[in-house]
Amino acid sequence: MHSETRLIFGGLTTLAVATAALVVLPYLTVRDTPPVAGLKPYTSAQLRGRTQYIQHGCMYCHSQQPRAQAFAPDARRAWGRATVAGDYAYDDPPLLGTMRTGPDLMNIGVRQPSDQWHLGHLYQPRAYAPGSIMPAYPFLFEVRDKAEAGETVVTLPPDFTPKGKVVVARPEALDLVSYLKSLDRSYPVVDAASVN
Amino acid sequence: MNTLSILMSAFVLSLVGLGFFIWSQRSRLLSRSADGSEVIFARGEIGHPETLTPDRSLKAGAGTVDSQELLDRAAADASTAAVVFFFYCCAFVWLLVASAAGLTASIKLHAPDWLVSEAWLSFGRIRTLHLNAVAYGWAPMAGLGTALFIIPRLLKTELVGGRYALLGGALWNAALVAGLGSLAYGVSDGMEWLEIPWQIDILFVAGGALVGLPLILTLLRRKVAHLYVSVWYMGCALFWFPVLFFVANVPGLHRGVEAATMNWWFGHNVLGLFYTPLALASIYYFLPKLIGRPIQSYNLSLVGFWGLAFFYGQVGGHHLVGGPVPAWLVTLSIVQSMMMILPVVAFTVNQHLTLKGHLGALRHSPTLQFICLGGLMYTASSVQGSFEALRSVNVITHFTHYTVAHAHLGLYGFVTMVFFGAIYFVVPRVTGRDWPWPRLISLHFWLAATGIAIYFVSLTIGGWLQGSAMLDESRGFMESVRITLPYLQGRSVGGALMVLSHVVFAAHFVRLLIGGAGRTDQSSTRLSAPGAI
């Protein structure tokens, strides 16, 4: 090769083709997919919880994208129907995830509607899921002698309660739980992708 | 349009396009022999591996090697010494930071109650610190440092504006410190590979531009007619990365599932169009240099290069197989993932033919050991990646540790190994000091090679079992967790060996810097074969 111009021009052309396919076409076709009927926008507490979810990197172990029945048994694990673009209309950025070190969470709000379960599980996952390798998040809680009025006390199985102390959820934990409980894509969706 | 027609048209278009590119670059060469591959040697130098002491050799073999060309090479090295040294020092720091974070994250996966009191030490953050310290610290610092060293040599001219590169490097590292700090504190943009807040990305863009500028200025002042293979890879990588980084980080541009497709367009192209070309360019330069023989086939290099440029950019969608994104996009990515076999085979055959009959050189040159292992792992990880994209394999491996093993085979087994080799070659030439303890180089090699082997084998088996368990709905989800535990522990053992090898490597580097005057030892970075100059 003798010409740097042809080299760079050629290189940028190949990248342009790739960008057209993977970025520009999706930009034109699916970026502004309207929300599916039944999907509600997040409340401010849920949005703060979503920030916590990102901050603590939950998406590195939990996906949010159940796959179609024909492809994988995600639905039979009660993870929910296959999601469609419109399910992510309020998700900025979407948290599809690439790992299932832990289960898919797209419908965790349906499977686990209990605040106390979520709080206790965040404080010590092994209190509710023996054998779990999820990290404990003690820094989202405070262990004190007694709770103040209006604070949320976490009730834990006896073996996991610190002796003579109470575990109080910090606002971050409450926000995170309200986000987790909002994860519910159980409403029906009629869409070519999900039928296939 | 149905899937089949998209598939076929993507296939035909790619092949026609690839043919056109190769033809357009090839046409002027038809009348010439394959001398394009000889441009890295001085006249009369073929047959002689490069050593540290050209002046002495000139006396020995008077008249055989063009002394002016060797002096030009020395001038090129002198012009890059300071800036290459700076980039490499940063690379060492990030290597240690990244490996410490990586090992911590690995241990946490089988000891989940270890170090849980601090948010920044929790798995989600320390894992992200590991990835970003590798992605924006170790890999680009080592890769760009090597590019800054090689490019002036290949163009037979001095580096123009090296101080801009120095300033750019400083800005880049400041940005990385700020970026890792904000990730540890919990400020993240929330997309894998793109976590660092976009406000800090502005600093990366400025720093990167200042690093790229001198290389482009140098390219324009070249004194050779012919652009060597390594220049194609490095030149294009330096244009590809800024486009990727800029498009991916514009705030507010990407939304919904489009952000997800963009995310993997970026994530895979950072590997394919930045680290990979930098490492391949290093192989194309150092391998012939170290055995004293030009690359076997210039035409195969062309196929390898344009094939990579064409197909690699479009493979990112295979990270979203089964996901809520357009089906045609995933299919396109799977097709192009398989097409990647073409350039990979071209590269592999070329390297094999070049090395043929010279394998004995491996015994003498530690640099060559790293480079050859890296080249082999390029082939292995690429072919593995192509098959991993197929739906039938992906349905098992997606979402499992198998993918993590594959990523490390590519970025460690291939890219990092090649950069290790490059650093062993380059450091004596920019510092004027040879590595004091050649045995430590062997120790580094064997610790790293054993470490990544244990790492890869453990996680590959563990990931496959995990994926199979998840596909069988009659087995509870917890079984897919429990089944991986021994393999996660195995990964920590492999990882610990890798970290240890880095400590050896860094300690050796420090010893080289603070040691006495440069000692010349025949057996370290050069070949000690009789007759070698």
Side-chain angles (χ1 to χ4, degrees):
Chain A
M1 236 181 279
H2 287 77
S3 161
E4 58 273 73
T5 323
R6 274 202 271 178
L7 170 75
I8 303 297
F9 174 76
L12 288 180
T13 308
T14 61
L15 181 57
V17 172
T19 312
L22 298 188
V23 181
V24 179
L25 278 177
Y27 185 93
L28 297 174
T29 55
V30 292
R31 177 184 186 264
D32 299 306
T33 310
V36 178
L39 180 66
K40 287 194 280 293
Y42 294 110
T43 65
S44 58
Q46 289 162 357
L47 275 179
R48 285 196 304 272
R50 196 166 195 274
T51 306
Q52 290 292 318
Y53 188 95
I54 293 172
Q55 279 200 5
H56 297 297
C58 306
M59 63 280 193
Y60 301 118
C61 290
H62 295 283
S63 58
Q64 291 189 6
Q65 45 165 326
R67 293 171 293 180
Q69 283 275 14
F71 190 57
D74 294 4
R76 291 193 287 276
R77 286 198 180 280
W79 290 346
R81 60 162 170 84
T83 48
V84 295
D87 286 322
Y88 301 88
Y90 299 114
D91 288 9
D92 184 25
L95 302 169
L96 295 179
T98 49
M99 291 290 283
R100 283 180 179 167
T101 310
D104 190 278
L105 295 184
M106 193 87 260
N107 288 290
I108 187 63
V110 184
R111 297 204 294 283
Q112 287 293 354
S114 152
D115 282 307
Q116 280 297 336
W117 185 92
H118 278 293
L119 289 169
H121 184 257
L122 286 170
Y123 178 76
Q124 176 48 273
R126 280 150 293 287
Y128 290 110
S132 165
I133 56 170
M134 176 169 142
Y137 290 90
F139 47 83
L140 296 178
F141 300 85
E142 281 171 27
V143 178
R144 291 207 238 109
D145 292 333
K146 66 186 203 31
E148 305 285 320
E151 287 184 325
T152 309
V153 175
V154 185
T155 35
L156 288 153
D159 290 355
F160 296 90
T161 315
K163 287 207 169 50
K165 305 268 183 184
V166 289
V167 177
V168 176
R170 289 182 160 209
E172 299 96 287
L174 296 172
D175 288 339
L176 181 53
V177 169
S178 87
Y179 169 65
L180 290 171
K181 283 173 60 191
S182 80
L183 289 174
D184 174 355
R185 265 71 171 176
S186 59
Y187 48 81
V189 57
V190 180
D191 177 290
S194 61
V195 173
N196 292 335
Chain B
M1 255 198 291
N2 65 26
T3 313
L4 186 71
S5 62
I6 295 167
L7 218 143
M8 287 310 292
S9 51
F11 179 76
V12 172
L13 240 149
S14 306
L15 276 188
V16 170
L18 182 65
F20 170 75
F21 268 108
I22 294 178
W23 170 79
S24 74
Q25 307 287 345
R26 178 78 183 80
S27 53
R28 281 186 60 192
L29 289 169
L30 278 174
S31 58
R32 300 161 70 102
S33 64
D35 62 355
S37 57
E38 293 169 12
V39 71
I40 61 170
F41 296 98
R43 262 192 298 281
E45 201 189 12
I46 290 176
H48 304 288
E50 182 179 322
T51 68
L52 261 185
T53 49
D55 42 347
R56 194 178 58 184
S57 70
L58 282 176
K59 284 174 205 148
T64 55
V65 180
D66 188 325
S67 58
Q68 186 54 47
E69 287 196 60
L70 293 183
L71 289 175
D72 284 349
R73 186 185 294 162
D77 289 359
S79 72
T80 57
V83 56
V84 172
F85 181 67
F86 173 73
F87 274 71
Y88 277 0
C89 287
C90 299
F92 272 100
V93 172
W94 294 124
L95 177 68
L96 293 177
V97 169
S99 24
L103 183 59
T104 311
S106 172
I107 294 171
K108 278 170 161 284
L109 270 191
H110 51 82
D113 286 311
W114 181 58
L115 295 181
V116 287
S117 58
E118 297 287 332
W120 73 274
L121 283 169
S122 67
F123 176 83
R125 292 202 193 164
I126 201 82
R127 172 219 175 275
T128 313
L129 292 176
H130 164 67
L131 185 139
N132 281 275
V134 173
Y136 300 104
W138 157 249
M141 285 301 109
L144 292 173
T146 308
L148 283 162
F149 177 80
I150 294 181
I151 287 180
R153 274 182 161 221
L154 290 172
L155 305 174
K156 303 202 172 171
T157 181
E158 292 175 26
L159 182 70
V160 184
R163 64 180 64 175
Y164 294 116
L166 214 51
L167 177 65
L171 273 182
W172 182 287
N173 282 285
L176 187 54
V177 171
L180 295 183
S182 62
L183 294 181
Y185 186 67
V187 183
S188 160
D189 279 355
M191 278 192 285
E192 253 179 274
W193 293 89
L194 293 166
E195 288 100 345
I196 294 180
W198 64 265
Q199 294 86 343
I200 296 173
D201 292 334
I202 298 170
L203 256 185
F204 277 109
V205 171
L210 283 170
V211 176
L213 186 70
L215 292 171
I216 291 156
L217 292 177
T218 309
L219 195 62
L220 295 174
R221 288 220 201 149
R222 65 189 159 110
K223 291 187 187 146
V224 285
H226 195 95
L227 296 174
Y228 182 64
V229 193
S230 301
V231 180
W232 315 341
Y233 282 107
M234 284 177 164
C236 276
L238 290 169
F239 278 83
W240 284 330
F241 182 70
V243 175
L244 294 171
F245 192 77
F246 182 79
V247 171
N249 281 300
V250 174
L253 188 62
H254 308 287
R255 275 186 58 80
V257 293
E258 180 267 343
T261 65
M262 183 284 295
N263 192 177
W264 290 109
W265 163 84
F266 177 84
H268 213 98
N269 282 344
V270 173
L271 303 167
L273 299 181
F274 189 50
Y275 309 140
T276 299
L278 289 180
L280 289 181
S282 305
I283 297 181
Y284 269 112
Y285 184 74
F286 291 120
L287 186 85
K289 271 284 175 197
L290 286 164
I291 59 174
R293 175 179 186 217
I295 276 292
Q296 176 78 21
S297 166
Y298 189 76
N299 294 339
L300 275 179
S301 322
L302 272 173
V303 174
F305 175 74
W306 287 114
L308 177 127
F310 231 95
F311 302 128
Y312 221 141
Q314 303 169 40
V315 305
H318 68 214
H319 287 265
L320 295 163
V321 176
V325 295
W328 63 262
L329 184 147
V330 173
T331 305
L332 173 76
S333 286
I334 296 173
V335 173
Q336 305 301 41
S337 301
M338 287 313 279
M339 295 298 285
M340 270 304 292
I341 291 178
L342 187 76
V344 170
V345 167
F347 168 86
T348 310
V349 171
N350 211 0
Q351 300 303 325
H352 174 74
L353 293 175
T354 308
L355 255 182
K356 210 172 155 191
H358 289 72
L359 280 174
L362 275 171
R363 278 203 303 277
H364 305 289
S365 169
T367 305
L368 196 56
Q369 291 169 2
F370 279 107
I371 301 262
C372 285
L373 180 65
L376 278 176
M377 292 306 114
Y378 171 62
T379 309
S381 62
S382 301
V383 172
Q384 187 197 19
S386 294
F387 284 94
E388 218 175 320
L390 295 176
R391 281 192 169 84
S392 52
V393 181
N394 192 278
V395 71
I396 298 170
T397 62
H398 195 24
F399 301 126
T400 72
H401 299 296
Y402 186 94
T403 317
V404 182
H406 167 66
H408 283 79
L409 188 65
L411 202 41
Y412 195 88
F414 160 45
V415 173
T416 298
M417 286 293 175
V418 171
F419 289 161
F420 284 155
I423 290 175
Y424 278 121
F425 181 94
V426 172
V427 164
R429 288 164 174 79
V430 297
T431 60
R433 294 168 177 206
D434 204 357
W435 296 94
W437 293 314
R439 282 187 176 191
L440 281 194
I441 305 181
S442 281
L443 182 64
H444 173 200
F445 178 80
W446 287 109
L447 281 175
T450 315
I452 185 67
I454 295 175
Y455 184 114
F456 177 76
V457 173
S458 301
L459 271 200
T460 300
I461 299 173
W464 191 271
L465 294 175
Q466 181 194 10
S468 310
M470 269 197 280
L471 271 190
D472 179 359
E473 73 266 27
S474 67
R475 298 157 82 179
F477 180 81
M478 277 313 294
E479 199 179 327
S480 76
V481 176
R482 220 171 285 125
I483 208 167
T484 59
L485 274 179
Y487 303 98
L488 291 174
Q489 287 158 352
R491 185 256 296 265
S492 289
V493 172
L497 292 180
M498 287 148 75
V499 175
L500 191 61
S501 84
H502 304 160
V503 172
V504 169
F505 183 34
H508 199 187
F509 182 62
V510 171
R511 175 67 180 75
L512 176 145
L513 296 183
I514 61 171
R519 187 163 66 90
T520 32
D521 188 317
Q522 286 299 325
S523 59
S524 74
T525 42
R526 307 175 297 290
L527 294 168
S528 54
I533 56 167

